[in-house]
Amino acid sequence: MGDTPILEISRLEEIFEDDSGGIADLLEAAMGTGATNQATLRDALSRHVLEDVMRAAHAIKGSTANIGGNEVAAVAARIEDAARAQTWDGIEPAAIELDEAYERLRGAVRAYRAGIS
Amino acid sequence: MNANTTPNKVLVVDDVETNLTVFAKVVGQIPETEAVCFTSAVKALEWAGQNECVLIIVDQSMPELSGIEFISQVRSRGNSYTPIVMITGHSEKELQREALKLGASAFLGKPVDPVAFVSLARNLIQLRGARLETMAKAGAAHADQQSATEALFAQERNTLEALVKIIDLRDPRTGDHCRRVALFSEAIASKMGLSMIEVTQLAQAARIHDIGKLSMPDRVLYKTSRLLGDERDAAKKHVVDGTAMLAGFTTPILHAAAEIVHSHHERFDGTGYPAKLAGPAIPLFARIVAVADTFSALTSRRPWREAASVSIAVEQIEKESGFGFEPKIVGAFRDVMPELLDIRAEVPDLVPAR
């Protein structure tokens, strides 16, 4: 885990204003999408297809950056960049790092929900 | 576009549902607007064809159509005045240049900053309003322009027929090949779900996809044995010569024809010619014609070789799926094979047997 925050909520607060329930719903929906995206990435890794790895990592980067899941987005960006450069160097360890970061993000989303109720 | 629909909609297209939720909220901060959201670019395109909107926001990476393809299709359907903002995580200059060429108005990187977005959106919407106001003030002049446009389209049809005739007179074999390729392309495009307008434009434009062969020396064009060395180079030049012949035409079919002429020998993996374009950078019509052209060429007899059987031609094209050709187009090509065989029977090869 680096210095990148696991969940940076200020942008969503600016957009959703006082609707913290709406933010929590969005975060939980994004975690659902995230699980699908993680499965897609794992599948691409198991098939060893760089093009699909790049696409899956790109989808994870976009959807998590959108909700302020900056740590996951940063790891996904590293995987995408490596795949775009046609190299497997660092992808496998980054994929493990990504799963760990996703777990932390899920924890942060749960904590956010608990904090508002 | 339908004039009687609400004018304050902002169309948002992104395949990720949660991204749309955020966009809907951000769009809600722009006065007198509401977001109309689609996760399917194809459905969004259909909606855009039937409804008026003040702004379009589109993501680049989507499964059915990329943002670039979406922009191209919106613009090719005659919507030139609705501003389009492309949202993308990509920062490649080439991608942005391509999108601008196709009619994008601006870019924003992900994640979108709400303040920057609202400011940009307001400006673009105001700009659109000013353009429409100017058009409305033009009044009678606009009506004149419409009839002038109709006259221009009639002229376009006449020009196209003249060009087809010239190809037929110079080389009937190329003329028949062009006819077959146009019909093959039409069948493939229909299967792919392109709109009726697009299918018609493609079918017309593909009729002159080899117009560049008009400038080939007789010794190359009519040669009855395999082309060698500099003859091959001269033959390859037909895409560049053809593009030059159609340069300056801005009406839809001839403009589409120019794109097809230029890019129908590009390969999906970027190893084709003349510009080594790859993937979606190759115009969609040219990607379709590339498959149709290859099928026609392979299954046609040449003075120096027999025609390949249909099964061998199909096998070769399938082998090139993802390399020479776009897989989605190869899939549609396979699906319409019975129709393609009927077309082959209707427009047979003219070259006599050896």
Side-chain angles (χ1 to χ4, degrees):
Chain A
M1 187 172 15
D3 294 335
T4 317
I6 188 70
L7 180 61
E8 174 54 65
I9 211 79
S10 60
R11 177 175 158 273
L12 290 182
E13 284 173 341
E14 193 180 341
I15 294 169
F16 281 71
E17 297 172 335
D18 296 332
D19 184 11
S20 47
I23 295 177
D25 291 344
L26 172 74
L27 294 174
E28 281 160 5
M31 290 306 93
T33 311
T36 310
N37 287 342
Q38 274 182 288
T40 307
L41 177 63
R42 279 192 211 106
D43 176 57
L45 289 167
S46 68
R47 287 185 289 107
H48 223 63
V49 180
L50 270 177
E51 178 74 19
D52 292 348
V53 168
M54 184 178 77
R55 279 206 197 95
H58 177 78
I60 290 171
K61 183 184 77 176
S63 58
T64 51
N66 182 52
I67 58 156
N70 296 348
E71 188 189 2
V72 174
V75 181
R78 275 174 24 222
I79 297 174
E80 183 191 359
D81 289 347
R84 197 184 298 281
Q86 296 288 307
T87 175
W88 286 98
D89 286 353
I91 285 186
E92 297 287 349
I96 295 167
E97 215 181 307
L98 185 86
D99 285 342
E100 292 166 355
Y102 246 125
E103 274 317 300
R104 285 191 288 277
L105 180 58
R106 288 197 176 89
V109 168
R110 282 194 295 273
Y112 181 82
R113 171 66 88 184
I116 61 162
S117 50
Chain B
M1 286 265 170
N2 202 338
N4 61 4
T5 48
T6 318
N8 59 346
K9 304 261 194 267
V10 173
L11 173 62
V12 190
V13 195
D14 190 316
D15 60 314
V16 180
E17 188 83 46
T18 48
N19 290 355
L20 289 177
T21 308
V22 173
F23 271 121
K25 279 277 182 190
V26 179
V27 168
Q29 294 177 7
I30 308 167
E32 296 171 14
T33 60
E34 63 172 331
V36 178
C37 300
F38 286 93
T39 50
S40 159
V42 171
K43 285 185 181 157
L45 204 57
E46 198 180 306
W47 184 91
Q50 294 162 354
N51 297 277
E52 190 75 25
C53 59
V54 293
L55 178 66
I56 297 174
I57 315 294
V58 61
D59 186 34
Q60 162 59 9
S61 297
M62 297 183 290
E64 295 171 323
L65 279 179
S66 69
I68 292 252
E69 288 167 333
F70 181 85
I71 292 168
S72 167
Q73 297 212 19
V74 168
R75 294 304 188 217
S76 72
R77 291 169 188 207
N79 182 337
S80 61
Y81 55 88
T82 305
I84 305 179
V85 178
M86 194 159 101
I87 308 290
T88 175
H90 296 295
S91 55
E92 289 98 329
K93 291 281 169 234
E94 265 315 301
L95 181 75
Q96 299 194 350
R97 283 182 51 175
E98 181 68 16
L100 286 173
K101 267 197 321 201
L102 290 169
S105 314
F107 297 93
L108 279 177
K110 277 183 184 172
V112 169
D113 176 86
V115 176
F117 172 79
V118 170
S119 166
L120 176 68
R122 274 180 162 169
N123 289 339
L124 289 172
I125 291 169
Q126 275 176 9
L127 199 64
R128 172 189 174 275
R131 283 188 68 183
L132 287 178
E133 206 176 317
T134 308
M135 281 165 70
K137 279 181 185 166
H142 182 60
D144 286 349
Q145 194 184 352
Q146 269 196 328
S147 63
T149 305
E150 279 161 21
L152 197 64
F153 285 163
Q155 206 171 24
E156 178 185 51
R157 283 193 293 275
N158 293 338
T159 306
L160 182 74
E161 293 309 324
L163 295 174
V164 168
K165 191 79 190 160
I166 293 168
I167 295 171
D168 272 338
L169 290 171
R170 170 102 161 95
D171 182 19
R173 195 190 70 186
T174 299
D176 275 349
H177 165 72
C178 284
R179 252 183 294 287
R180 269 193 304 277
V181 169
L183 293 168
F184 290 161
S185 301
E186 183 179 18
I188 295 168
S190 295
K191 184 71 191 175
M192 289 171 70
L194 269 65
S195 71
M196 199 186 291
I197 292 176
E198 289 166 318
V199 172
T200 308
Q201 278 183 0
L202 169 59
Q204 292 298 317
R207 293 170 68 198
I208 55 170
H209 77 277
D210 269 342
I211 194 169
K213 289 188 177 175
L214 291 176
S215 70
M216 271 190 199
D218 289 357
R219 66 180 171 83
V220 177
L221 185 61
Y222 302 129
K223 189 175 178 192
T224 54
S225 57
R226 196 177 290 278
L227 298 182
L228 303 167
D230 64 325
E231 295 166 343
R232 275 174 180 270
D233 294 339
K236 277 184 168 184
K237 215 169 145 273
H238 79 280
V239 294
V240 178
D241 288 348
T243 309
M245 289 173 198
L246 297 176
F249 284 111
T250 53
T251 47
I253 292 171
L254 292 173
H255 178 71
E259 285 191 341
I260 293 169
V261 167
H262 181 264
S263 300
H264 72 283
H265 282 289
E266 298 289 359
R267 287 170 54 89
F268 196 62
D269 60 7
T271 62
Y273 66 91
K276 294 192 187 314
L277 300 177
I282 305 167
L284 176 63
F285 284 1
R287 279 179 266 152
I288 295 171
V289 168
V291 174
D293 184 41
T294 304
F295 183 62
S296 172
L298 287 173
T299 55
S300 296
R301 189 181 300 120
R302 294 285 182 267
W304 63 90
R305 66 152 168 82
E306 284 303 320
S309 69
V310 168
S311 60
I312 286 178
V314 170
E315 192 184 320
Q316 287 201 23
I317 286 171
E318 285 185 335
K319 211 181 285 176
E320 284 288 332
S321 178
F323 302 101
F325 309 120
E326 181 172 355
K328 193 169 70 176
I329 298 172
V330 173
F333 157 76
R334 200 185 307 116
D335 291 345
V336 293
M337 188 49 59
E339 213 175 314
L340 303 190
L341 296 181
D342 288 346
I343 293 166
R344 271 186 78 240
E346 282 166 27
V347 191
D349 199 16
L350 275 183
V351 178
R354 284 186 296 185

